[in-house]
Amino acid sequence: MMRMERLKKSDINLKEVHHIAGGPYKGILVNKQADQLDTVGPCQGRVEFMAYLINSDHNNEAIRDRWTLRFWFRGHSDGITKKQTLTEYFSELISPKTLPRKYVGFVKRALVLLQRFALIKRLELEVEELDGDDDDLPPIKSFVSVFTPDSYTYRFVPEVPVETKTFLAFKIKAGCDANLSLCAIYGDVERKTYEICLGAENNSRSFIRDGSLGAIKSESHTVNLLNENEFRYFWISWADHHVQVGKGAKQGQDIFLSWVVPPNRQFKVNSMAVATSRQTKGQWEFAEIMDEKDLNKNKRNKIKLSLLWLAKKQKMLQVLEDAYPISITTDTLFRKCMVKQGDTITAVVMLKGMEKKGLVQEVEKGVWIRMQNKEEITEHAVHMVKDLPMLTGQEQPTIGLITTLYHEKLAVDAMMEDKRTYIKYKTESESQVYTLGNIGSYRVVSTKLARMGNSEADIVAAENTVTRLLGTFSQIAHVFMVGVGGAVPSYTDHNKHVRLGDVVVSTPADDTGAVYVYCSKVEKMKKASNYSYVTRVFSPSEQVLNNAVLKMKRQVESSLPTAPRPWDQHIEVGKDTLRGQESNFHRPLIQKDKLFYTKPDGEVIQVDHPRPQGFTARHHREGQTQVRYGVIACGQRVSRADPVRSDFALMNGVKAYQQEHDAVLESLEGNCCESYLVVLGMCDYADGSKKEWMSYAALAAAAYVKSLILTL
């Protein structure tokens, strides 16, 4: 049992305080443990839910908890406001994208969120571990109420199990703009989503859209369809990929929207989300959601197992993606994914299911490889071959694109036209993957390095991949290394500041011509507070690509502030091309780009991003990709922690860090490649290892490369 409450400073008994938090947790005090809590009045709101946690220290044993949250509120707000606040707090607390993995992390998040929700005066959290025989659950009502604020922000409703339905009845109280999305992927309303908009355009029209704010597929004039003072009943059906919407609670009654979904846009509906616009708040009620038989032990066990196996599936895909284009045996895959001996049959069935979807392929008995998903606007052929076909002079690529991560290659390939992929598969040695296509008038080829680790064998494999690329395609004149990295921020100067989603292009910071620096050793000076570094610098002798970078930079800077940048349209087209992939290539919310600063005493605090001033402010576009120019560095000894990270960046003009890929640059120079460029999209403030911004960052880097090739 834990109580969290908002107190005035004068009401705090410092003798009871155990810890005063600082940094991002400033304003939070933790009291000493108490035998009992002071008596307070009855709570004004309560949420109860079940949680399944996995104890990794005990053979992944599942622990089942009942969690109870009790709320008290400040002031005299009405019941709807209090319930809305409770709903919003709980929704953010258990958001799948930020849900902590441990108890302590959950408590921290609950405290930090409480600072933002000023209406909540007190919160009690009670966690009770249930044994295997405890089957006592509180009764569940036959409807679920959801409140949506006056902002176009979707709230997913996991309490409504739409994955088992093809019909939904609900009622809504709102002035206009009631939006309901049927989604294939929980948490994602951009891809594989049918969006139903009721009472749009000041309560005069209704639509069915292909994705959030996507293309309108069905529309109807519906004057005064909604009412902000009373509930109105509606129903939605999506049986047999035919989306229909009608008035009332009975299916087939008063249909006013209908769309037969074409085969290339069909998917299984697995989740549902609702939202209203800035003009109105909304209150939703979904009837006949669950009954008592859904709460039995077998049902809960199935839910728990499905969640566990969903995580296993993602882990298996990740391992195969890192290894791609190299294949992995079933035994190796299960060992890396920690599949227990008794679960191997289920895991094989899951692999077979992924094979049917085209995600993986069993190239030999018990040998698996990740396959590029064909869910694109323009599907391209993927061939498994022992040897590449002979290419004529015009088919020979003159530009090579090197990637490391799976979604980096997807992003690069999305920039091509008339493409085809060849996986040169070998059982006993390294496989290679080559995608050939066109960017403008140039013939290009992309490849991917296997990403298995930092051992000497892995480094040799990376060098061999580059050597084979240049040896196989002897007409390659320019090479781009395209991927993701970690930004080097400026805390005071916006013109030098690099943010998440930005692109950094490897250009020299001084007259040495160095564009890439690898640090192999760091030593602290005995008689000073600074450091010495052992480095290896890379500098292409051919300046064609660097000159193209400067040319496009001048064009962008001399254009009107409102003029589209060359890479913007390529990002948008790429997002549409890649909408069917497992990874989400849409840009995360700008609020998720949080900047932290480490003070000299080691305290970490969150700070604001520097704001543009003067002429720069006219050209600045908040929430859009900016391009920065400077040196790119790698080396774990300098990339991860201040003050070494900042010191090394300042000394060498570094704008971004990357995970150790110096072997690729060494192989390029060793193979006499005199024209190369490194282009990275920023996905964190470390070295490009964090995932939330990864896919979008890779797409932004690929879009810039396409823009640059078109200027050559």
Side-chain angles (χ1 to χ4, degrees):
M1 171 76 79
M2 187 171 300
R3 178 179 292 169
M4 312 171 196
E5 57 186 335
R6 192 183 309 276
L7 293 176
K8 295 180 179 179
K9 290 184 179 179
S10 58
D11 295 334
I12 297 173
N13 184 354
L14 293 177
K15 293 182 180 180
E16 296 179 353
V17 174
H18 170 69
H19 175 70
I20 299 177
Y25 304 109
K26 184 178 180 181
I28 294 176
L29 282 69
V30 181
N31 276 8
K32 300 173 184 177
Q33 183 172 327
D35 292 331
Q36 61 183 16
L37 297 175
D38 296 335
T39 302
V40 294
C43 67
Q44 297 165 285
R46 186 180 77 172
V47 176
E48 296 188 16
F49 62 98
M50 300 291 294
Y52 292 92
L53 300 95
I54 303 304
N55 191 339
S56 57
D57 295 330
H58 293 277
N59 298 319
N60 289 335
E61 177 186 356
I63 299 172
R64 188 159 60 99
D65 288 342
R66 176 189 293 146
W67 296 59
T68 303
L69 298 175
R70 301 182 182 90
F71 295 83
W72 288 257
F73 298 92
R74 303 167 68 189
H76 303 284
S77 300
D78 58 71
I80 291 179
T81 302
K82 292 177 181 178
K83 190 171 183 180
Q84 179 180 347
T85 302
L86 180 156
T87 302
E88 290 178 358
Y89 179 92
F90 182 65
S91 297
E92 290 203 34
L93 183 64
I94 64 167
S95 169
K97 295 182 179 180
T98 55
L99 186 63
R101 302 172 70 88
K102 297 182 179 180
Y103 290 102
V104 173
F106 194 94
V107 172
K108 284 183 179 179
R109 178 153 180 78
L111 280 164
V112 172
L113 279 178
L114 195 61
Q115 289 182 303
R116 286 176 38 203
F117 285 79
L119 187 61
I120 301 176
K121 176 183 179 181
R122 181 184 301 114
L123 170 68
E124 283 185 357
L125 167 63
E126 181 178 2
V127 183
E128 178 186 5
E129 183 174 340
L130 303 179
D131 58 38
D133 298 326
D134 191 338
D135 206 32
D136 181 26
L137 286 172
I140 295 178
K141 294 182 179 180
S142 60
F143 67 89
V144 170
S145 293
V146 180
F147 294 85
T148 49
D150 49 356
S151 65
Y152 183 63
T153 303
Y154 267 105
R155 300 193 177 283
F156 277 80
V157 189
E159 303 95 326
V160 182
V162 294
E163 72 275 7
T164 62
K165 302 179 183 296
T166 57
F167 169 78
L168 192 64
F170 63 95
K171 56 183 179 179
I172 169 72
K173 183 195 294 184
C176 58
D177 298 320
N179 303 287
L180 185 148
S181 283
L182 301 170
C183 312
I185 305 170
Y186 186 90
D188 185 353
V189 295
E190 301 287 348
R191 307 170 300 152
K192 294 188 176 181
T193 294
Y194 308 141
E195 184 182 51
I196 292 89
C197 310
L198 303 177
E201 298 183 7
N202 294 320
N203 204 12
S204 65
R205 299 174 69 200
S206 298
F207 315 113
I208 298 176
R209 287 192 174 115
D210 184 8
S212 173
L213 298 179
I216 295 175
K217 299 301 182 181
S218 176
E219 62 181 308
S220 177
H221 289 283
T222 52
V223 179
N224 296 327
L225 183 71
L226 303 177
N227 190 300
E228 62 183 346
N229 298 314
E230 67 178 42
F231 281 104
R232 300 279 177 88
Y233 266 106
F234 299 93
W235 61 267
I236 297 173
S237 171
W238 56 96
D240 300 323
H241 304 292
H242 185 188
V243 182
Q244 293 181 303
V245 184
K247 300 177 185 177
K250 185 177 180 181
Q251 185 173 0
Q253 175 183 358
D254 289 338
I255 300 173
F256 60 92
L257 290 173
S258 179
W259 177 38
V260 178
V261 184
N264 65 328
R265 286 292 182 263
Q266 294 177 2
F267 58 82
K268 183 180 184 302
V269 173
N270 293 310
S271 58
M272 184 268 294
V274 293
T276 40
S277 71
R278 294 181 180 178
Q279 299 182 44
T280 182
K281 297 178 181 179
Q283 182 177 353
W284 307 68
E285 288 193 358
F286 297 91
E288 299 178 5
I289 305 304
M290 292 176 131
D291 55 35
E292 291 297 327
K293 67 181 181 181
D294 293 321
L295 302 176
N296 60 49
K297 185 176 180 179
N298 290 334
K299 178 71 174 181
R300 291 200 313 274
N301 285 339
K302 287 181 180 178
I303 294 173
K304 179 186 70 174
L305 286 173
S306 66
L307 292 174
L308 289 175
W309 280 108
L310 181 61
K312 291 291 185 188
K313 171 191 171 183
Q314 295 302 323
K315 180 63 176 176
M316 286 192 284
L317 280 176
Q318 182 67 56
V319 171
L320 289 168
E321 286 175 0
D322 286 346
Y324 182 79
I326 295 176
S327 57
I328 295 183
T329 65
T330 305
D331 291 342
T332 302
L333 181 62
F334 288 176
R335 185 177 70 253
K336 288 180 175 290
C337 298
M338 294 185 291
V339 175
K340 293 185 290 187
Q341 185 69 30
D343 293 334
T344 54
I345 295 177
T346 305
V348 169
V349 171
M350 178 169 286
L351 277 170
K352 292 291 186 181
M354 289 191 285
E355 186 176 32
K356 287 182 179 179
K357 294 181 179 180
L359 301 176
V360 301
Q361 183 174 331
E362 190 175 17
V363 290
E364 294 183 14
K365 181 67 174 178
V367 180
W368 298 87
I369 190 172
R370 180 70 159 99
M371 294 298 292
Q372 290 189 215
N373 195 326
K374 298 179 180 180
E375 291 189 32
E376 298 180 0
I377 291 179
T378 304
E379 188 175 311
H380 79 282
V382 179
H383 305 282
M384 300 283 292
V385 297
K386 292 293 184 181
D387 296 293
L388 293 177
M390 293 294 294
L391 301 177
T392 64
Q394 291 184 341
E395 292 178 318
Q396 282 285 345
T398 57
I399 293 177
L401 306 165
I402 299 176
T403 62
T404 303
L405 302 177
Y406 183 75
H407 52 255
E408 291 173 353
K409 186 168 189 306
L410 291 180
V412 166
D413 293 352
M415 299 297 114
M416 299 183 196
E417 297 177 352
D418 301 325
K419 59 194 171 190
R420 61 183 186 275
T421 295
Y422 297 99
I423 301 175
K424 191 176 179 182
Y425 171 70
K426 295 183 179 180
T427 307
E428 299 177 355
S429 60
E430 299 168 11
S431 300
Q432 297 100 48
V433 59
Y434 301 114
T435 299
L436 293 108
N438 299 323
I439 295 181
S441 61
Y442 284 89
R443 192 69 176 159
V444 302
V445 59
S446 72
T447 191
K448 178 188 175 297
L449 308 174
R451 182 173 177 260
M452 301 296 287
N454 294 316
S455 67
E456 184 174 348
D458 298 321
I459 294 173
V460 171
E463 293 175 340
N464 289 343
T465 299
V466 176
T467 299
R468 289 192 182 97
L469 172 71
L470 298 176
T472 303
F473 306 100
S474 58
Q475 300 300 312
I476 289 179
H478 311 290
V479 172
F480 291 86
M481 188 172 176
V482 191
V484 297
V488 175
S490 171
Y491 297 97
T492 57
D493 188 346
H494 174 269
N495 293 326
K496 299 179 180 179
H497 185 46
V498 186
R499 297 189 61 167
L500 304 189
D502 286 352
V503 170
V504 172
V505 184
S506 62
T507 53
D510 51 37
D511 55 9
T512 64
V515 300
Y516 198 96
V517 182
Y518 167 61
C519 179
S520 59
K521 188 176 181 180
V522 180
E523 291 183 350
K524 195 167 191 308
M525 307 294 285
K526 292 183 179 180
K527 297 184 179 181
S529 59
N530 51 356
Y531 303 84
S532 66
Y533 306 96
V534 177
T535 62
R536 161 83 158 90
V537 300
F538 297 90
S539 169
S541 57
E542 175 61 60
Q543 295 300 305
V544 172
L545 296 182
N546 189 49
N547 292 337
V549 169
L550 296 176
K551 175 185 175 183
M552 191 162 72
K553 181 174 181 285
R554 287 192 295 267
Q555 290 175 346
V556 172
E557 290 175 347
S558 62
S559 62
L560 294 174
T562 56
R565 285 87 52 89
W567 52 85
D568 289 336
Q569 60 179 343
H570 301 317
I571 291 176
E572 293 305 312
V573 173
K575 284 194 296 187
D576 199 24
T577 300
L578 296 166
R579 64 184 300 173
Q581 300 293 338
E582 292 288 306
S583 299
N584 184 357
F585 285 86
H586 286 265
R587 184 184 178 99
L589 297 175
I590 194 170
Q591 294 90 335
K592 296 187 177 181
D593 181 7
K594 296 180 180 179
L595 184 63
F596 295 91
Y597 173 73
T598 304
K599 297 168 67 174
D601 62 1
E603 182 183 4
V604 178
I605 59 174
Q606 184 175 348
V607 297
D608 293 331
H609 294 273
R611 302 294 302 173
Q613 304 293 330
F615 176 79
T616 305
R618 293 177 55 228
H619 286 263
H620 177 67
R621 306 180 188 190
E622 188 75 8
Q624 293 189 24
T625 294
Q626 309 293 324
V627 176
R628 304 299 188 187
Y629 309 89
V631 176
I632 293 173
C634 72
Q636 291 186 5
R637 293 171 177 83
V638 292
S639 65
R640 301 229 168 157
D642 279 331
V644 177
R645 188 179 197 271
S646 300
D647 182 72
F648 188 79
L650 183 63
M651 182 181 297
N652 295 278
V654 174
K655 291 295 183 184
Y657 285 96
Q658 186 183 29
Q659 296 189 59
E660 298 189 10
H661 287 83
D662 53 296
V664 177
L665 278 296
E666 285 188 359
S667 184
L668 286 173
E669 293 194 346
N671 284 279
C672 300
C673 178
E674 300 176 350
S675 179
Y676 57 84
L677 192 71
V678 183
V679 180
L680 303 180
M682 301 296 100
C683 68
D684 57 32
Y685 292 105
D687 59 358
S689 56
K690 297 184 180 178
K691 293 185 176 181
E692 185 171 11
W693 285 75
M694 242 183 208
S695 296
Y696 177 82
L699 178 60
Y704 176 86
V705 169
K706 179 172 183 176
S707 303
L708 192 65
I709 291 175
L710 293 175
T711 67
L712 288 176

